[in-house]
Amino acid sequence: MTYLFTHWHTVAERLGEHVVLVGVSLAIALAIALPLGVVVARKPRAGGITLAILSAIYTIPSLALLAILVALFGLGTPTAIVALVAYAQMLLVRNVAEGLRGVSPAARDAARGLGFTPLAQLLRVEFPLALPTIVGGIRIATVSLISIATVAAWIDAGGLGTLIFEGLHQDDPAKIIAGSVASVALAVVADVTLRVVERIAARA
Amino acid sequence: MADNLERARGSRIELRGVGVTYPGGTAAVRDVDLTIAAGEFTVFLGPSGSGKSTLVRTINRLIEPTAGTILLDGVDARTLDPVALRRGIGYVIQAVGLFPHLTIAANVGVVPRLLGWDRARIAARVDALLALVRLDPARYRDRYPRELSGGEQQRVGVARALAAEPRALLMDEPFGAVDAIVRASLQDEIRRIHRELGTTIVFVTHDVDEALRLADRIVVIAEGTIAQADSPDRLLAAPASGVVRSLVGIDAASRRFATERPLLP
C-alpha cells in the first residue's frame, strides 16, 4: 500500500483521468440510450432485435473489442470512449425501456386523454415515472465502466489501468495494488452515491 | 369560489354514421347515429365488449372512427387538432390514472399548466375544484395519490377532468372500481356537479341501476350499435327489443316502480 501514499499525486492524476474517461463515456452513452430506449419500449419486435445486438456487443471480451477498435480508430482515449459507450448501451437501453414499459397504462391513457402532446407525455409523465429504473441502469453502467476502463490503459487511454499495466511490466506489485484499490474505491463511491440518488428518485 | 366555477355551457355532440373497424376486420362499432344535446347527461349502457368504451373514445379522438363523422358544436372533429380538442374535453377513466409522482394539486392543475395558465390562476382553480368534489383543499392539496382511498382518488380524477372548464366530460366506467357505498356518493356528486356546471356528460357503464340514477337519456349499446336511446322511464316502460329487455332485467317493472315511488311503505 506504500505506493498509494508515496505517490498519491500520481494516483490522483490517474484517478482524475479515469473519472473523465468514464464520465464522458457515460454522458455520450446516455444521450444515445435515452432515445433508443424509447424506441425499444414502443416497438417490441425492433426492440427485441436491438437488445439482442447490444447484448452480443456486451459479451465481447474487452481486450478483443479494444483490439478491433484500435484497428479502426487507432490508439488513444477516443477509441476507449467508443468501447465504453458500446458496453454501456446494453445496460442503459435495457433499463430505460424497462422503466418506460413499467409506467401504468392508466397514467398513459389519462395523459393522452387529457391532451398531453406525445413529447409532453414522455417528458412529464413517462420519464419521471421511469426514473428510478433508469437511475438503476446508470448505476450498474457506471460501476461496470469503472472496471472496464482500467483495461483502456492498454491502448494509451490513461486512467488507473496505467498504474496496473506499469506495475505488471516493471514487476512492481505496489503499483498494481495502488491502481486496483483506487479503482475499487471509485466504484464503491459511485455505487453508494447512485443508490442514494435512486432512492430519492423513487420517493419523488 | 363562484369566480372560479362560472357555469360553462355544454357542447352539442353529433355522431353521424360512426363506425370503428379494427385492422383485423372486426367491427367494434357500426352505424351509430346520435345527437347529444348541449348540457345533456347521456349514459352509454351495455355489456362488456359491446363497443360502448370504443364509441366514447372516438369523441375525443383517442380512437379514430373508420366510418362516419363526429361534430362538436357543428364542427367536424377531424378538422380540429386532436391535442387541443382533448384539452377542451374532460376525460375520466375507471383506473383513474392519477400521476403518482405529482401532488393532488399538480394532478388537478395539469391541463391548465399545459394550457399555460399562470401560477396564481391555477392555484385558485385547483382549490375551487377540490372544494367542488368535496375534498378540503388545505388537507389534500399537497398530498400524493397513493395516500388517498380509491373513492378520494376518483374525486381528484373528476376535478382534474374539469380543470380547464371543459364543455364536455367523458367518463368511462368511472365508478366501477369503488365499493357500493362510495359509488352511490360519487353518483350523487356527479349529478350535483352536472346541475351546477351544465357540462355535457357522456358516461359509460354496464350497471343498469347506475344508468337509471344518472341519465337524462340512456343509450343502450349492444354488439357495436345502438339498440335503443330513450329516457330512463321510457326505456323501462317500453324496451324496444329483446336485447334491451334482457339488459334492464326481468324486474324492469319493479325498477320502474322504485324510480317513481322511492319510498314504498
Side-chain angles (χ1 to χ4, degrees):
Chain A
M1 292 289 267
T2 49
Y3 185 91
L4 207 52
F5 302 109
T6 53
H7 294 76
W8 63 268
H9 48 279
T10 314
V11 177
E13 198 180 314
R14 294 305 185 194
L15 182 68
E17 287 171 6
H18 207 86
V19 169
V20 170
L21 186 61
V22 171
V24 170
S25 303
L26 260 178
I28 296 170
L30 208 52
I32 300 169
L34 285 173
L36 200 55
V38 173
V39 176
V40 169
R42 291 190 180 169
K43 312 255 184 226
R45 272 200 51 191
I49 295 165
T50 308
L51 280 181
I53 294 169
L54 295 178
S55 301
I57 294 172
Y58 191 71
T59 59
I60 302 172
S62 45
L63 276 175
L65 183 65
L66 285 170
I68 296 165
L69 290 174
V70 165
L72 293 171
F73 305 114
L75 294 172
T77 307
T79 306
I81 290 174
V82 172
L84 294 180
V85 168
Y87 276 122
Q89 283 313 300
M90 200 277 279
L91 301 169
L92 292 175
V93 171
R94 192 190 55 189
N95 275 52
V96 170
E98 198 181 291
L100 291 174
R101 274 197 293 248
V103 174
S104 86
R108 240 178 294 161
D109 185 24
R112 200 163 153 252
L114 289 167
F116 280 71
T117 60
L119 186 66
Q121 184 177 332
L122 188 67
L123 298 182
R124 292 200 199 173
V125 177
E126 296 183 33
F127 270 134
L129 293 178
L131 199 61
T133 314
I134 295 173
V135 174
I138 294 173
R139 180 173 60 79
I140 298 163
T142 307
V143 173
S144 302
L145 291 197
I146 288 171
S147 157
I148 297 169
T150 54
V151 185
W154 182 62
I155 61 162
D156 291 344
L160 291 166
T162 311
L163 295 174
I164 298 171
F165 281 103
E166 281 173 7
L168 282 170
H169 289 302
Q170 300 160 3
D171 199 13
D172 185 351
K175 260 189 169 177
I176 299 175
I177 291 169
S180 308
V181 168
S183 170
V184 169
L186 181 60
V188 170
V189 169
D191 187 64
V192 170
T193 309
L194 287 167
R195 271 182 204 279
V196 173
V197 176
E198 216 174 312
R199 217 168 304 145
I200 293 167
R203 211 179 319 143
Chain B
M1 178 171 144
D3 291 346
N4 288 302
L5 291 172
E6 69 278 14
R7 193 183 169 88
R9 206 167 49 77
S11 282
R12 187 175 80 251
I13 302 168
E14 292 164 78
L15 310 178
R16 292 190 183 160
V18 169
V20 177
T21 305
Y22 288 121
T26 11
V29 171
R30 56 197 162 83
D31 300 329
V32 170
D33 285 296
L34 180 70
T35 299
I36 297 166
E40 191 179 7
F41 198 135
T42 303
V43 173
F44 288 180
L45 174 66
S48 51
S50 60
K52 59 191 190 302
S53 283
T54 305
L55 187 61
V56 82
R57 286 161 66 91
T58 61
I59 296 172
N60 63 355
R61 292 185 60 186
L62 286 174
I63 293 173
E64 298 285 358
T66 48
T69 308
I70 293 169
L71 302 174
L72 300 169
D73 290 320
V75 180
D76 187 341
R78 271 172 305 197
T79 65
L80 303 168
D81 169 44
V83 167
L85 171 95
R86 289 178 201 135
R87 288 177 187 174
I89 298 178
Y91 184 56
V92 182
I93 54 177
Q94 181 176 346
V96 193
L98 295 183
F99 304 124
H101 61 302
L102 301 179
T103 62
I104 299 309
N107 266 282
V108 175
V110 87
V111 180
R113 249 186 86 197
L114 290 171
L115 292 168
W117 292 17
D118 66 64
R119 218 174 263 269
R121 186 176 170 207
I122 295 174
R125 180 73 184 157
V126 165
D127 282 2
L129 282 160
L130 287 176
L132 180 74
V133 297
R134 313 228 170 179
L135 294 174
D136 176 12
R139 254 188 80 202
Y140 286 91
R141 207 186 283 130
D142 298 320
R143 296 170 79 178
Y144 282 88
R146 63 175 170 272
E147 301 169 49
L148 272 56
S149 71
E152 289 171 329
Q153 287 191 20
Q154 195 53 291
R155 283 169 192 266
V156 176
V158 171
R160 180 178 65 175
L162 291 169
E165 294 160 14
R167 299 180 61 186
L169 183 59
L170 309 181
M171 309 183 80
D172 191 353
E173 307 235 10
F175 310 142
V178 294
D179 66 61
I181 294 165
V182 175
R183 191 183 312 137
S185 101
L186 286 169
Q187 287 166 351
D188 289 342
E189 301 292 1
I190 198 66
R191 268 210 316 209
R192 174 180 58 79
I193 289 167
H194 178 247
R195 264 199 317 276
E196 282 179 27
L197 302 182
T199 314
T200 306
I201 296 182
V202 182
F203 188 109
V204 171
T205 186
H206 62 262
D207 178 344
V208 183
D209 294 310
E210 184 167 66
L212 293 171
R213 284 195 74 183
L214 295 175
D216 292 330
R217 190 162 55 138
I218 296 175
V219 177
V220 178
I221 296 176
E223 290 170 12
T225 199
I226 296 178
Q228 186 171 0
D230 252 322
S231 69
D233 285 346
R234 283 200 45 81
L235 198 79
L236 290 174
S241 63
V243 175
V244 178
R245 207 170 300 122
S246 71
L247 193 70
V248 293
I250 44 165
D251 53 353
S254 66
R255 279 211 173 93
R256 185 169 150 222
F257 213 52
T259 52
E260 284 168 359
R261 285 202 290 167
L263 296 170
L264 280 174

